[in-house]
Amino acid sequence: MARAAPYTRCVLILPPGHAQRVSQRRPFTKRERRIGIVMGIGVLAIVVIAIVALVSPTPKLAPGCISVNVASSLGGQPISGCGAAARTICRDLGSPGDYTGSTRPPLIAACRRAKLPTT
């Protein structure tokens, strides 16, 4: 014999005042306020650092000086020199054992800006 369907449906019974409690905004706890303040200070610090980094001028190089940051296998590598050191770097570009590959084009550009001869 087939089983008869129940004559009632499943109904969710909510306690009295539930709709009012759900619609009201719950106040933040002390911990939540502290976390919000710390996060706000962190975001503000990052914004200030970014603005200072973008607005601060880059230092001017003296005539005959080069300064380049190039990517290398161990991270960014600063290459700089003034006077005889800069002339040696620019003169030896492309020599065996010297700066080659992706390091060479930014160095050539720096040497041209400093008006130093390259090979």
Side-chain angles (χ1 to χ4, degrees), residues 60-68 79-87 89-90 109-116:
K60 299 289 181 192
L61 292 174
C65 292
I66 61 169
S67 179
V68 178
I79 301 171
S80 60
C82 283
R87 283 191 297 276
I89 291 171
C90 293
C111 291
R112 287 183 182 152
R113 279 193 303 271
K115 298 181 175 84
L116 296 172

Side-chain angles (χ1 to χ4, degrees), residues 29-67:
T29 64
K30 284 183 180 180
R31 182 172 184 257
E32 290 170 338
R33 279 194 300 267
R34 265 188 266 132
I35 289 172
I37 289 169
V38 169
M39 294 291 284
I41 290 171
V43 167
L44 184 64
I46 290 171
V47 167
V48 167
I49 290 170
I51 289 172
V52 168
L54 292 173
V55 172
S56 62
T58 56
K60 299 289 181 192
L61 292 174
C65 292
I66 61 169
S67 179

